[in-house]
Amino acid sequence: MRTSEQIKAEIQEKFGFFPPFFEPAEQNTQVLENLWQQTLFAYVNNPLSLLFKEKLSAYLSRYCVIPYCMICHSCSLHSLGVEASKVLEMIGSPPPTETEIEIHLYLLRDSINESTLLSSLNPVVEESLLYCSIYMFLEPEQSQYCHSELRHLLGSINYQYLVTFAGYVKMCHVWIEAHPEVSYQTDKRAIEHLDKLVQLEPGLRNFFSTYINKVRREGEIQAEQVVQKAKHQRIQEALRQSNGELEKRANQGTTDLSDFSILLKQEIDKRQQAEAQLIHVAFHDLVTGLANRALFIQRLEQGIERVKKQPSVVLAVLYLDLDWFQVINNSLGYRSGDQLLIAFARRLEICVKSKDTLTRLEADEFAILLEDIEGMSDAINFAQLLQQELEMPFYLDCQEVLMSASIGIALATRGYEQAEMLVGNAKIAMHHAKALGKANYKVFDTPMFIETSKLLQLESDLGRAVENQELRVHYQPIVSLSTNKVIGFEALIRWQHPRRGLVFPGEFISVAEKTGIIVPISSWVLREACYQLYVWQQKFLNDQLTISVNLCGKQFLQSNLNQEIREILKQTNLDARSLKLEITETAIIENSQSTIERLWQLQEMGVQLHIDDFGTGYSSLSYLHHFPISVLKIDRSFINQIDTSSKNAEIVSAIVTLAHNLGIEVTAEGIETLEQLEQLQKLQCKYGQGYFFSKPVQADDVKGNLTYYTNVS
């Protein structure tokens, strides 16, 4: 992470000075970095002309309660060559009407298209685009037609630049209003141009003075009320003193009261500023500037109370999770990840009405509270609108990124008592939407709740299963297809449930991964399998037998993984060359940066590494060069139709050929028929396993199978 001084130096280099706008963030490096990145993304690197950006900022500063904003942008316009009288005319003009916007759109239809350069618009076209932007900013509910027209005329890229900048202006107002201590008197733009500006156009001095006095009057009313109350209390106290000291105490009280009034006003100002800052930090997300979870829950609780009192009121919660965000974060870096979150937030703000609440809950998860809707159809239509907006690409440092979101919808009814329950139900629906394959939405219903309850019960039972030693390891032989001899086994976990009987891993492994209990379970399986193989090697006098054990993705996050494997091998007396670790393509890709070194260390120990379920994950062939892979295991989905599907046969043939060319062996999973076996032998697939040879069995049942297949000729 960069230091505050490094960030300040970059800002000063870009502007020629350090704008006071950034001063409140100087003491917090993360906040300063986030604020600067938003400014870079939405303002500095935005291809809109500087004059357009300053005109829009100056006009909209009328709606910021801090004078600093209006004064500095007015000075900037003058520095860019705008006459002082034109500055006053623009910032003092009334907002555009709907009829005027129709005229501006008519002009734009004949003047711009998606290939138009925003940085070089002619003045007439730029003015029409400016007033359309002002209208969309001030009238978000009435301007949907304007949004749609500009999106069509400008194209997705130019439209994104425009709305991103408008969203940035809104964020600046929120930031400045949260930090009223910022003063234009240290801003280089104001220092160099303010005096000249008001001399050239005296009307600006009156305009600024009127605006500043209005803001000050509103801020001083409360302080003056406190001062008057204190004054009244002191006078009453003085009257209660003895008559002999009345005049002396009254005179002294008057002097003290004057000093106290000044000090009290100063203290009130400081406390109000500090309170505003604390409230903003407490209820807003530092990265995106959106409401945080605390503020969202507070407003949702208020909404639920309204529903209780007025059954006709309808609320909905939409829970959004970015699809593939973790992949973007890992590949482009956390800085780009934050930029994407900011751009995503600005995109959502375009769609959200002022009365609704948009929040970032955590990481890449967002939520929207829709208030006063007609019913579920409105919530669904809004979800579809969001997904339509997200079809347009995002641009991070000139790199195009496509991003979608999975959306869960939950409707508030009179049965809800807690806001967290409604949010939780929307999240459950979101997970069901994500399971459909990304970029989908689902509405929460009772079957979802029942399914979730079952998963929670399964999660509870699984925790007790580890404690009660209900887990079992079964073993499936791996056979050499050229000799029909057993060369090793794959260790497969089973759960002997006290009520349900034998439970297969497909039902509980995902729950174990979610809760993190998969790590101790996997370690236990590894230890049991290594010990059992050593027993078999001694019993059958065959130290060439090997054991294959699956490693989960979470195990790669354990810094002590290699040390744990080394200790297990030592404790079970098993040679490292007898151990084969199976990992999935997904686990490799998602942990690639932290995995490479550990995998090479395992190979140096003598442990072999196999890719499990090859062809069903990312299938990025580049990792075959970067990782020490010994064997590819072709997924059973390709094998079970190899004798009936020419497509499957061609895929398997291609995988075998690729592996052989890279010096990698191949194991086929799920062999169930003689025809499948014979076809794999023709393709020179070296190893295989499946029900044709043997189902996974308990350790005590291995003896017969091992003897039988060892003797097959």
Side-chain angles (χ1 to χ4, degrees), residues 303-315 372-375 411-415:
I304 290 175
E305 288 301 317
R306 287 179 55 211
V307 172
K308 292 178 182 178
K309 297 176 182 178
Q310 305 175 46
S312 60
V313 173
V314 180
L315 309 175
D372 297 328
I373 60 176
E374 295 297 325
L411 211 62
T413 61
R414 295 189 67 182

Side-chain angles (χ1 to χ4, degrees), residues 697-709:
V697 295
Q698 300 181 54
D700 294 341
D701 297 330
V702 165
K703 179 178 179 181
N705 290 335
L706 181 61
T707 303
Y708 175 77
Y709 288 110

Side-chain angles (χ1 to χ4, degrees), residues 536-566:
W536 284 334
Q537 287 180 343
Q538 303 307 306
K539 183 175 182 179
F540 301 125
L541 301 178
N542 184 353
D543 59 3
Q544 298 303 308
L545 288 175
T546 61
I547 189 72
S548 297
V549 182
N550 292 280
L551 283 186
C552 68
K554 287 187 179 292
Q555 284 181 282
F556 284 116
L557 302 178
Q558 306 299 310
S559 59
N560 64 337
L561 173 63
N562 290 6
Q563 180 62 30
E564 180 184 16
I565 293 173
R566 188 179 289 108

Side-chain angles (χ1 to χ4, degrees), residues 112-117 151-159:
I112 61 174
N113 55 55
E114 61 183 13
S115 62
T116 300
L117 295 178
R151 187 187 299 111
H152 172 71
L153 293 172
L154 293 172
S156 61
I157 297 176
N158 285 339
Y159 176 73

